[in-house]
C-alpha cells in the first residue's frame, strides 16, 4: 500500500497544529532535528539513487564504451600458464563444495 507523502505531511502538520503545549512542540522539534541529522549522516554513506545512477547517453558506439572502460583483454595463454602453476587436481564440483563449508 503506497501512502501519498503529501497527504502524510499535511496530516503531520494538522497534528502539530493541534498541540497547545510549548514543551511538547519543543520535543517534536528536537526529534525532527535529530532525525534529519541522522538522515544526513546516512546520505553521506548511501548516496541517493539519482546521484548514483548515470543517465543513458544516446548515439554511443561500442567503440566509445570500450575506450571509456579502458578494458585490456585477458591473455588466455597467460591465464593457462597461471592456472597450470596452481596445480589443482580436484574436480570443480569438489572445489565449489569446499567453498560452501
Amino acid at each position: 500500500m503506497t501512502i501519498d507523502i503529501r497527504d502524510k505531511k499535511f496530516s503531520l502538520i494538522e497534528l502539530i497544529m493541534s498541540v497547545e503545549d510549548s514543551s511538547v512542540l519543543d520535543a517534536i522539534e528536537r526529534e525532527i532535528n535529530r532525525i534529519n541529522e541522522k538522515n544526513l549522516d546516512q546520505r553521506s554513506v548511501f548516496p541517493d539513487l539519482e546521484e548514483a545512477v548515470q543517465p543513458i547517453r544516446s548515439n554511443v558506439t561500442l567503440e566509445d564504451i570500450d575506450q571509456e572502460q579502458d578494458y585490456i583483454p585477458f591473455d588466455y595463454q597467460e591465464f593457462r600458464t597461471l592456472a597450470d602453476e596452481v596445480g589443482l587436481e580436484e574436480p570443480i564440483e569438489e572445489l565449489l563444495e569446499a567453498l560452501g563449508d
Side-chain angles (χ1 to χ4, degrees):
M1 180 171 139
T2 304
I3 298 174
D4 183 13
I5 194 164
R6 191 166 188 240
D7 290 342
K8 193 165 194 134
K9 287 179 181 180
F10 281 121
S11 295
L12 287 170
I13 290 169
E14 288 174 354
L15 190 62
I16 292 170
M17 292 297 292
S18 69
V19 174
E20 296 296 329
D21 187 341
S22 179
S23 62
V24 172
L25 290 173
D26 290 341
I28 292 170
E29 183 179 21
R30 281 192 302 273
E31 186 64 17
I32 289 172
N33 287 332
R34 185 189 66 77
I35 292 169
N36 280 338
E37 287 175 12
K38 182 179 175 185
N39 284 341
L40 287 175
D41 290 342
Q42 287 179 347
R43 291 180 88 173
S44 63
V45 176
F46 303 105
D48 285 340
L49 183 60
E50 291 177 4
E51 294 174 13
V53 175
Q54 297 294 318
I56 297 174
R57 300 179 315 193
S58 58
N59 300 324
V60 178
T61 65
L62 186 56
E63 290 79 23
D64 293 337
I65 294 171
D66 281 343
Q67 287 176 357
E68 291 171 8
Q69 294 296 316
D70 197 27
Y71 173 74
I72 300 171
F74 195 82
D75 180 27
Y76 181 76
Q77 282 306 107
E78 183 180 345
F79 167 76
R80 276 297 352 140
T81 303
L82 291 172
D84 291 341
E85 287 176 12
V86 172
L88 294 174
E89 301 296 327
E90 298 85 358
I92 188 71
E93 291 81 12
E94 288 180 24
L95 295 170
L96 291 172
E97 188 175 314
L99 285 175
D101 294 339

